[in-house]
Every structure is written in structure tokens, then in C-alpha cells.
């Protein structure tokens, strides 16, 4: 009888210890917009492995690729609410139109400028972190993606000439900067969610896509991309996000592990992003797309038009005093 009671007590103690361990462990859902095995999926998986190793399995990160948890605009809202724990994705301006500043076309023209403007500790990063904080979201790090271009499903005459009226309709993200840019360089901007873009091109609703770059077009649009125009329309930066309350529930060591893995996630990407852009342009070409030639003169002319026609309207839309103050700090 005593032996039986001893076994029961031991079992109860073991079960109690197990419950405590499980309560301390956390599995965080992380959403991103690309299919499995793409560059961001590989880097996000490595980030998850580093977090798991650094916390001895107490914090696990489960990856949900290909917008499995919803369009990135919806995911941002759900991260703010805590319905989704984490995401790595572009900012959505639907909740705060000031995020349009991040997408200012021709804000930077080369990779050195991009790293100076967008890297950790820069004025732009601080502004982005403040905007996300208002939505109950913490920025852990970032992932530089590419300089943007235009994917076309048909031959468009004078595609690289910003003064030519092309009559071609482009899907653009539901962000004012993109529609204004398309409209002012001879295209017709048609705002559509990312999740609807492929079908829109495939069915002829639009003639192409703007708002991504070679990486995005190869990952998600290569079957409907016949021409690629590397016009450097904007610099795309994705942010590694976590709900603020969920982050606060982690202990100090777990937070430190998450931050260290996020730093490595960003540092490693800056080292590979430039080469990755060239590699993805080559992959698009191998998939059957024609890479249209674009001269520095055409890019500079496009930038001049966009800065003159688009910037003032965007700046006024998001608040001229705030936007000009940020741009003054960013452009120093």
C-alpha cells in the first residue's frame, strides 16, 4: 500500500513538473508572404532554429509561408491584436498612412544609400519602430529585399520612357505612393491586394505588376511575367515584427535570444541582398522573361518626374510637417 502511494505521489510530481515546463515554453507563429524555400523562408527558418537553440527549446517559432495566415495587411492588424504572434513582411499603410513614407519612390538610388537610410539605428528605422509601436507591435529587425521594378505580361512600347503614355494597366499595392508613381510615368495604376494580383494578371484584368522586384516576381509571378523592367522604383524593406504583449511575456533571457537572432537575421541579409537581386533577375530570364534594358539616364529622368509630381502629394497626404521633418533627418 505504501509502495503504491509512493508511486502515485511520484507520478503526480512528474506530471506537475511537466505542466510547469509546458507552461514556460512558447510556440510563436510567424507569417511571411513568400512560398516555401524562397530566400525569406530560408532565412526565417534559420532564425527560428537559432531562437530554439538559444532558449533550449523554451521558445519555438513556427513558420507560416505564402500568406497562409492572411494577406500582409490583415496580418499586420492581427499581430497588433495578438491573434498572430510574429511576421516578417512589408509595412501596410492601411492602419497608418504615414507608412507610405517608407515606400517613397526613389528615396535611395543604390545599395550603399539603402543601408545608410534603412539600417538599424538610423532615423528611418527609429521612425518605423515608433509607427509600429502605436499599433502594439515591436520591431525586432529587418530584411532588405530589393530595388523594385515592373513585371509585364505583354510587350509595352517605350516601357522605360517615363514621358510616354503606355496605356498599360498595372496592379499596384493599395498604397498611394505606388498608384501615383504608376500614373505619373505613363502607366495606369490599379490598386489590388497582393493575394489577388496573380489572378488579375493571368485573366487580363491588368497587364502587369508594380510594387515588387525580381525576387518577388520570380517567387510569385514568373508564370505570368514575360518582361521585366528594372526601373528601381523603390527600395523594399521588410520588418521582423512581434506583438508587444507577447514579447513582454517572455523572460529577459528569452527576449535577449530573440533579439540576438533578429540581429543576425538582418546582418546576414545585408551581406547577400545585392547578389540575390542579380540572381533573381537571372532566374526570371531563365524562366522565359525578357529583361528590358534601362539606362541610368532613364532612371534619373523617372526619379526626377516622380520626386516632382508624386512626393509633394504623398507628403501632404501624410502630414507635411511630420513628413518633411523625417525626410530632413533621413536625407542628411
Amino acid at each position: 500500500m505504501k509502495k503504491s502511494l509512493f508511486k502515485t505521489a511520484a507520478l503526480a510530481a512528474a506530471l506537475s513538473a511537466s505542466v510547469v515546463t509546458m507552461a514556460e515554453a512558447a510556440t510563436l507563429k510567424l507569417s511571411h508572404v513568400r512560398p516555401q524555400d524562397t530566400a525569406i523562408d530560408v532565412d526565417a527558418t534559420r532564425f527560428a532554429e537559432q531562437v530554439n537553440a538559444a532558449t533550449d527549446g523554451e521558445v519555438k517559432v513556427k513558420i507560416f509561408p505564402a500568406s497562409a495566415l492572411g494577406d500582409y495587411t490583415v496580418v499586420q492588424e492581427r499581430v497588433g491584436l495578438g491573434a498572430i504572434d510574429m511576421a516578417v513582411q512589408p509595412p501596410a499603410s492601411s492602419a497608418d498612412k504615414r507608412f507610405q513614407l517608407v515606400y517613397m519612390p526613389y528615396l535611395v538610388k543604390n545599395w550603399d544609400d539603402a543601408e545608410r537610410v534603412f539600417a538599424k539605428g538610423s532615423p528611418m528605422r527609429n521612425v518605423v519602430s515608433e509607427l509600429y509601436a502605436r499599433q502594439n507591435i515591436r520591431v525586432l529587425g529587418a530584411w532588405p529585399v530589393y530595388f523594385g521594378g515592373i513585371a509585364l505580361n505583354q510587350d509595352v512600347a517605350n516601357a522605360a520612357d517615363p514621358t510616354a503614355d503606355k496605356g498599360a494597366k498595372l496592379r499596384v499595392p493599395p498604397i498611394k505612393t505606388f498608384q501615383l508613381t504608376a500614373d505619373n510615368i505613363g502607366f495606369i495604376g490599379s490598386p489590388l491586394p497582393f493575394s489577388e494580383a496573380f489572378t488579375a494578371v493571368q485573366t487580363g484584368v491588368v497587364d502587369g505588376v508594380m510594387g515588387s522586384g525580381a525576387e518577388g516576381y520570380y517567387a510569385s509571378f514568373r508564370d505570368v511575367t514575360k518582361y521585366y523592367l528594372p526601373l528601381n522604383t523603390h527600395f523594399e524593406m521588410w520588418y521582423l515584427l512581434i506583438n508587444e504583449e507577447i514579447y513582454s511575456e517572455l523572460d529577459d533571457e528569452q527576449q535577449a535570444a530573440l533579439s540576438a537572432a533578429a540581429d543576425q537575421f538582418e546582418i546576414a541579409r545585408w551581406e547577400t541582398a545585392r547578389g540575390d537581386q542579380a540572381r533573381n533577375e537571372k532566374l526570371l530570364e531563365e524562366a522565359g522573361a525578357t529583361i528590358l534594358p534601362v539606362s541610368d539616364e532613364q532612371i534619373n529622368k523617372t526619379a526626377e518626374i516622380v520626386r516632382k509630381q508624386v512626393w509633394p502629394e504623398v507628403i501632404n497626404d501624410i502630414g507635411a510637417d511630420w513628413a518633411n521633418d523625417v525626410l530632413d533627418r533621413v536625407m542628411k
Side-chain angles (χ1 to χ4, degrees), residues 108-119 147 235 270:
V108 294
K109 290 185 179 180
N110 57 58
W111 282 96
D112 290 337
D113 279 351
E115 188 162 3
R116 176 183 59 81
V117 169
F118 288 97
F147 279 92
F235 185 76
W270 278 116

Side-chain angles (χ1 to χ4, degrees), residues 24-136:
E24 292 174 349
T27 298
L28 306 177
K29 296 180 291 185
L30 188 152
S31 170
H32 71 74
V33 300
R34 294 288 187 256
Q36 283 184 306
D37 300 324
T38 53
I40 183 58
D41 189 62
V42 171
D43 285 1
T45 299
R46 186 181 300 114
F47 165 79
E49 291 169 350
Q50 291 174 344
V51 171
N52 182 66
T55 62
D56 294 324
E58 290 182 355
V59 179
K60 301 180 186 296
V61 178
K62 184 175 181 180
I63 310 297
F64 289 83
S67 299
L69 301 181
D71 185 81
Y72 75 95
T73 57
V74 175
V75 168
Q76 181 170 313
E77 293 176 8
R78 298 189 72 197
V79 172
L81 295 171
I84 295 174
D85 307 306
M86 300 182 69
V88 55
Q89 59 181 38
S93 64
S94 52
D96 190 334
K97 61 185 178 181
R98 288 176 296 179
F99 273 121
Q100 292 180 76
L101 195 70
V102 179
Y103 295 108
M104 287 294 271
Y106 299 100
L107 180 65
V108 294
K109 290 185 179 180
N110 57 58
W111 282 96
D112 290 337
D113 279 351
E115 188 162 3
R116 176 183 59 81
V117 169
F118 288 97
K120 184 176 181 179
S122 67
M124 179 64 85
R125 176 66 64 84
N126 293 337
V127 167
V128 168
S129 296
E130 289 167 7
L131 293 178
Y132 273 120
R134 292 174 178 271
Q135 298 180 35
N136 199 36

Side-chain angles (χ1 to χ4, degrees), residues 167-187:
K169 185 179 289 187
L170 300 180
R171 173 270 170 183
V172 297
I175 299 172
K176 193 171 186 177
T177 49
F178 288 105
Q179 182 168 4
L180 289 171
T181 298
D183 292 346
N184 278 277
I185 61 172
F187 292 96

Side-chain angles (χ1 to χ4, degrees), residues 149-160 166-171 187-188 201 206-210 217 221-231 284 288-290 292:
I150 297 171
L152 295 166
N153 193 34
Q154 60 175 296
D155 189 12
V156 174
N158 302 311
K166 304 164 188 65
K169 185 179 289 187
L170 300 180
R171 173 270 170 183
F187 292 96
I188 302 168
V201 180
V206 295
D207 305 304
V209 183
M210 182 181 184
Y217 296 133
F221 296 94
R222 62 179 176 267
D223 293 337
V224 293
T225 299
K226 296 180 180 178
Y227 301 90
Y228 178 61
L229 185 65
L231 205 53
L284 269 178
T290 298
L292 298 174

